[in-house]
Amino acid sequence: MEERITGVMIYYYFVCSRKLWYFCHQINMEDENENVQLGKLLDENSYKRDDKHIEIDGIINIDFIHEKNELHEIKKSKSIEEAGIWQVKYYLYYLKKRNVDGLHGVIDYPLLKKNVDVELSDEDCKKLDDIIKEIISVKNQEYPPKLEEKKICKKCAYYDLCFI
Ligand code: SF4
C-alpha cells in the first residue's frame, strides 16, 4: 500500500525532523500555539475568493484558481520559505502522478503582501522521491530524532515536549 504522505509532512521535513516525527505519530500540539492560530485565521479571512478550495485524499488541501490553473498556499511569514516551496512542489508532484498536469503553484504571504511562484521540474520530482523515502524512514523510527536546538524552537508548538 502507498504510504500516506501529506503536505504538512513535507513542510515539517524541511523545518525539523523531530517535529515531523511527532506529527507522524499523531502527537499534535498545534492547536494550542498562537502562531498556528494566527495562520488559521489568515487562512479563513485574508483570501476570500470565488475559487475552489480543493481537498484530495486528505493529502492536498489548497485553493485552486481554475482560470489560471494555479494552486495557492497561504503562509503568514517567509521565515521557513523553503519548506513552503517544497510543500507546494509536492502538491504539484502528487497531482502530476495522478495525471493532472500543467498546473503551477503560488505561495501567498498576505501579511507581507507578496507572493512567490512555484514550478515543478523533473529534478524536483526526483528529489521528492528521495524526500518521501526519508520521511517514511523518520516515521518508522521508534523514538524521535536527536534533539538539536534551532532558532525556530521557541516558537514551535512542540517546544514544551522537547525542552521541559
Ligand atoms: S521545539 Fe525545536 S527541536 Fe522540538 S520539534 Fe520544535 S523545532 Fe523541532
Side-chain angles (χ1 to χ4, degrees):
M1 202 181 84
E2 195 184 349
E3 281 274 354
R4 198 173 166 278
I5 304 293
T6 66
V8 174
M9 289 179 192
I10 301 284
Y11 187 81
Y12 284 175
Y13 171 85
F14 284 92
V15 173
C16 168
S17 59
R18 211 169 150 94
K19 193 166 168 126
L20 171 64
W21 187 92
Y22 288 143
F23 183 79
C24 292
H25 289 252
Q26 277 87 44
I27 301 170
N28 199 339
M29 311 205 30
E30 297 287 22
D31 283 337
E32 293 163 23
N33 186 294
E34 269 179 32
N35 264 322
V36 176
Q37 281 172 6
L38 175 63
K40 278 190 188 151
L41 260 181
L42 280 176
D43 197 21
E44 283 159 17
N45 295 320
S46 299
Y47 279 81
K48 293 218 186 292
R49 301 192 182 96
D50 296 335
D51 312 294
K52 286 194 177 62
H53 192 84
I54 55 167
E55 201 186 321
I56 303 172
D57 307 337
I59 289 193
I60 290 188
N61 194 341
I62 206 159
D63 289 318
F64 177 57
I65 301 186
H66 191 254
E67 240 173 58
K68 299 182 184 169
N69 271 354
E70 261 173 19
L71 295 182
H72 280 251
E73 168 75 15
I74 298 166
K75 295 279 184 225
K76 73 182 173 66
S77 82
K78 289 179 102 174
S79 61
I80 318 170
E81 188 174 13
E82 192 193 13
I85 289 174
W86 281 99
Q87 183 178 1
V88 174
K89 281 184 193 278
Y90 175 66
Y91 291 144
L92 296 171
Y93 163 99
Y94 186 88
L95 290 168
K96 191 178 170 156
K97 292 245 169 194
R98 282 150 188 84
N99 296 324
V100 182
D101 220 341
L103 302 178
H104 71 274
V106 180
I107 303 177
D108 299 307
Y109 300 97
L111 291 182
L112 306 173
K113 301 199 184 331
K114 278 191 180 145
N115 42 53
V116 169
D117 288 321
V118 181
E119 305 288 344
L120 181 76
S121 68
D122 291 345
E123 270 309 296
D124 295 335
C125 291
K126 281 187 212 137
K127 183 163 171 175
L128 279 162
D129 288 338
D130 292 339
I131 289 170
I132 289 166
K133 281 185 206 139
E134 285 171 41
I135 289 177
I136 294 168
S137 136
V138 170
K139 191 175 169 182
N140 289 338
Q141 286 174 29
E142 197 175 343
Y143 298 106
K146 197 167 157 274
L147 180 60
E148 281 166 28
E149 190 159 6
K150 304 173 180 60
K151 258 204 224 157
I152 54 153
C153 288
K154 287 213 167 65
K155 287 188 180 168
C156 174
Y158 297 107
Y159 182 82
D160 289 357
L161 215 54
C162 286
F163 292 97
I164 294 183

